[in-house]
Amino acid sequence: MKPYVISNVGMSLDGKLVTVGGDSRISCEEDLIRVHKLRAKVDAIMVGIGTVLKDDPRLTVHKIKSEKNPIRIVVDSSLRIPLNARVLNKEAKTIIATTEKANKEKIKALENLGVEVIVCGKERVDLKKLMEILYEKGIRSILLEGGGTLNWSMFKEGLVDEVSVYIAPMIFGGKSVSYVDGEGFKSVDEAVKLKLKNFYKLGEGIVLEFDVIK
Ligand SMILES: NC(=O)C1=CN([C@@H]2O[C@H](COP(=O)(O)OP(=O)(O)OC[C@H]3O[C@@H](n4cnc5c(N)ncnc54)[C@H](O)[C@@H]3O)[C@@H](O)[C@H]2O)C=CC1
Ligand SMILES: Nc1nc(O)c(N)c(N[C@@H]2O[C@H](COP(=O)(O)O)[C@@H](O)[C@H]2O)n1
């Protein structure tokens, strides 16, 4: 059994999560409120370490009033997370998923901060196994908030159930992080197939919602 996973991003019309200059301020205020309503509904929010190193996110519900903050999950193979990262603050529980190659002293230092560390995988975090462990811990729903590398692995492993994206009326061009990166599928037959279930205008952009066809 695994948690229900919703993938959410704000992207440019050309599918980028960030400009070549590293600017990821894509969502309008209305969209950020939509995202925080989603955050308030799920048991956990998950990101890759690339996103933590670049954005230093809080991953809490801070744009709307909410009784609770979801658990924060960071996927970090080599435990590169800085001990002063905002995602490790006391505003919510944090779980770091790492691998056997992680430094044992860093694991201890994180545990001393009250962070739960799950060792799961040899070189890269074993995401299928991680989902099973999280389910066993009572986590039934996860909002996957990127970035492109983690999104690819989650889609490729068949772990995403729903897609909810905001497309801003902007074109970034260039080679930067896109919604789904990784090695990519070679043929259309292999592609992850989606069923459109809803779309609506939000601010100057559009929200698209899909179920992943399994
Ligand atoms: N516009 C938006 O909605 C969002 C934008 N972003 C942007 O995306 C960028 C970060 O994206 P990425 O560099 O792609 O990093 P990422 O956030 O996807 O993290 C990737 C890292 O996760 C670790 N990892 C461990 N096990 C893994 C596995 N099985 N599969 C995949 N990764 C695994 C690896 O260290 C890997 O380098 C940042 O610039 C951030 O600003 C991130 C989230 C949302
Ligand atoms: N939905 C969305 N739209 C954008 O334009 C974004 N740049 C992001 N980024 C994601 O949100 C995280 C920031 O969270 P906090 O406000 O610090 O809680 C960031 O790390 C990305 O995962 N998302």
Side-chain angles (χ1 to χ4, degrees):
M1 299 289 272
K2 71 162 206 70
Y4 187 82
V5 176
I6 305 168
S7 161
N8 184 83
V9 291
M11 63 179 165
S12 61
L13 181 60
D14 52 333
K16 305 287 193 324
L17 301 189
V18 60
T19 66
V20 289
D23 194 345
S24 64
R25 293 167 303 157
I26 298 171
S27 291
C28 58
E29 193 59 22
E30 294 96 319
D31 187 52
L32 292 175
I33 288 166
R34 177 190 67 87
V35 174
H36 283 244
K37 284 180 181 163
L38 276 175
R39 285 184 179 185
K41 277 191 203 156
V42 293
D43 295 329
I45 304 172
M46 185 164 95
V47 298
I49 185 62
T51 297
V52 171
L53 294 176
K54 179 67 186 41
D55 295 348
D56 194 17
R58 279 177 280 176
L59 302 183
T60 55
V61 185
H62 54 87
K63 290 265 174 203
I64 57 166
K65 278 201 179 129
S66 170
E67 304 260 301
K68 63 153 189 130
N69 278 315
I71 295 170
R72 303 173 290 195
I73 302 164
V74 180
V75 175
D76 181 2
S77 309
S78 322
L79 273 196
R80 288 187 287 155
I81 192 160
L83 292 175
N84 64 353
R86 293 201 294 178
V87 76
L88 303 180
N89 68 21
K90 303 285 180 209
E91 288 176 42
K93 180 180 163 69
T94 303
I95 295 175
I96 311 280
T98 191
T99 62
E100 290 165 19
K101 66 184 182 184
N103 181 293
K104 304 287 174 290
E105 281 171 16
K106 183 87 179 266
I107 293 180
K108 278 213 181 81
L110 286 162
E111 287 173 343
N112 287 340
L113 290 176
V115 173
E116 181 174 352
V117 180
I118 297 176
V119 178
C120 167
K122 283 198 162 66
E123 287 299 313
R124 278 190 130 189
V125 173
D126 180 336
L127 296 169
K128 275 195 174 140
K129 183 89 194 118
L130 176 64
M131 289 299 122
E132 287 169 16
I133 295 170
L134 296 173
Y135 189 88
E136 281 164 20
K137 288 184 180 297
I139 295 175
R140 296 288 182 266
S141 54
I142 295 179
L143 185 64
L144 171 64
E145 289 205 49
T149 309
L150 180 62
N151 287 345
W152 160 253
S153 297
M154 289 291 288
F155 275 110
K156 184 172 160 266
E157 300 280 354
L159 298 171
V160 180
D161 299 286
E162 195 178 317
V163 166
S164 167
V165 293
Y166 174 75
I167 300 181
M170 306 172 181
I171 290 177
F172 290 170
K175 289 196 189 332
S176 65
V177 179
S178 69
Y179 174 31
V180 183
D181 282 323
E183 19 338 336
F185 297 113
K186 289 208 171 63
S187 74
V188 172
D189 293 340
E190 294 169 275
V192 174
K193 309 292 191 308
L194 309 172
K195 185 177 188 325
L196 182 64
K197 58 176 185 181
N198 193 23
F199 60 93
Y200 56 95
K201 188 176 175 203
L202 187 63
E204 295 302 313
I206 185 166
V207 175
L208 300 174
E209 294 170 352
F210 303 86
D211 282 327
V212 175
I213 300 172
K214 304 247 177 174

